[in-house]
Amino acid sequence: MAERLRLFVLTGAGISAESGIPVFQGTQWRGHSHYDLANIDTWNRDPKLSWEYYSERRTRGRDAKPNPAHVALAELERSGACERFFLCTQNVDGLHEAAGSQNLVHIHGKIYESRCAQDCGRPAVTDYAVYSADNLPRCECGALMRPNVCLFGEIPFDLDRVFEELGRCNTFLAVGTSGSVQPVAGFVAELKSKPAYVTTIFVGLEEPSNAYYFDEVHLGKASELLPPLMKKLATTPA
Ligand code: NAD
Ligand code: ZN
């Protein structure tokens, strides 16, 4: 008997590009690479620069709206067509929630939250504010607050839950992610190394570095390709 769909979706910066939030690749900020700026070494060396950078990203992303790709994922989840639906996003924007997605984790954190840089135990707080070099935010314990995002050089959040969900899916869909940022780039290879068959599908502008592990590679804009693909997945047995 055909199985019902147990879908694991991994999204990257590409799914939000058409909402006006640029990907990191090929772009810069004040002459610095985003990969250098969004790095733990930059935070440790120069938290003022780091806050200026994240403040500008907060401002740029504030008016962004979900696009048809975010909406298509939320609609599939809501439709009840899946036995399980799980969304793992690397994005720090809130566009999946804004579209109505529910069962999701932000493994790279959330840009509109801040937390204590010394991890004093106080929980992260919602924070849409922007800060300049002379008004950096402080925790009640006296330490600096930092953006609640996973910087390059740090370990992503919620990986235990993510690996548990990976073990349960029968279909894996990656959208708008380059296949070169670890550890997520290794998810698809990990699935293909297991005895249980998992269908693996990629959607993005260009072939990812890990294309070899995908059964289907659909090249194009997420907002155009995802709505018909989600309809197809909803009606085809896994
Ligand atoms: P990435 O590795 O996820 O690469 C982005 C991919 O999206 C590229 O392969 C690109 O070809 C593809 N892409 C671009 N436009 C697309 C479109 N319209 N449709 C489909 N695919 C498209 O991410 P990155 O840019 O190297 O960023 C690294 C990390 O930085 C991310 O994982 C995230 O944590 C953070 N980031 C977040 C945001 C956000 O929250 N929106 C944006 C940029 C970067
Ligand atoms: Zn603190």
Side-chain angles (χ1 to χ4, degrees), residues 62-108:
R62 197 169 286 147
D63 296 328
K65 301 274 181 295
N67 67 53
H70 300 99
V71 173
L73 289 173
E75 282 179 350
L76 178 64
E77 181 178 12
R78 210 168 26 234
S79 74
C82 302
E83 183 183 323
R84 288 190 75 79
F85 179 99
F86 181 75
L87 176 53
C88 169
T89 187
Q90 298 168 83
N91 294 343
V92 296
D93 62 51
L95 296 181
H96 285 302
E97 290 93 325
S101 286
Q102 299 202 349
N103 197 20
L104 86 157
V105 296
H106 279 265
I107 58 167
H108 289 170

Side-chain angles (χ1 to χ4, degrees), residues 116 120 122 139 141 143:
C116 177
C120 71
R122 290 177 173 82
C139 178
C141 77

Side-chain angles (χ1 to χ4, degrees), residues 30-213:
R30 291 194 197 161
H32 300 283
S33 123
H34 292 278
Y35 298 104
D36 288 341
L37 289 160
N39 196 295
I40 185 64
D41 295 337
T42 302
W43 169 263
N44 288 335
R45 195 180 60 241
D46 192 350
K48 292 179 179 173
L49 173 66
S50 196
W51 260 122
E52 281 179 329
Y53 171 65
Y54 276 101
S55 292
E56 186 162 325
R57 287 192 73 82
R58 281 183 174 178
T59 304
R60 282 188 70 135
R62 197 169 286 147
D63 296 328
K65 301 274 181 295
N67 67 53
H70 300 99
V71 173
L73 289 173
E75 282 179 350
L76 178 64
E77 181 178 12
R78 210 168 26 234
S79 74
C82 302
E83 183 183 323
R84 288 190 75 79
F85 179 99
F86 181 75
L87 176 53
C88 169
T89 187
Q90 298 168 83
N91 294 343
V92 296
D93 62 51
L95 296 181
H96 285 302
E97 290 93 325
S101 286
Q102 299 202 349
N103 197 20
L104 86 157
V105 296
H106 279 265
I107 58 167
H108 289 170
K110 299 181 180 179
I111 193 166
Y112 296 110
E113 285 186 357
S114 300
R115 72 167 199 267
C116 177
Q118 294 299 328
D119 288 325
C120 71
R122 290 177 173 82
V125 293
T126 301
D127 188 3
Y128 285 84
V130 298
Y131 301 102
S132 55
D134 52 9
N135 78 337
L136 299 189
R138 295 228 166 241
C139 178
E140 284 173 38
C141 77
L144 276 180
M145 294 288 273
R146 57 168 277 182
N148 190 25
V149 299
C150 170
L151 298 167
F152 287 99
E154 296 186 301
I155 297 168
F157 305 115
D158 291 324
L159 285 181
D160 287 351
R161 170 138 183 243
V162 166
F163 280 104
E164 196 183 303
E165 292 287 345
L166 273 174
R168 289 176 167 168
C169 72
N170 57 14
T171 304
F172 174 86
L173 169 67
V175 185
T177 182
S178 59
S180 48
V181 176
Q182 292 296 351
V184 292
F187 289 175
V188 64
E190 159 99 10
L191 287 171
K192 285 300 191 192
S193 72
K194 296 275 163 60
Y197 189 79
V198 176
T199 304
T200 53
I201 307 169
F202 175 85
V203 171
L205 271 192
E206 62 209 354
E207 206 165 83
S209 323
N210 53 2
Y212 169 82
Y213 297 102

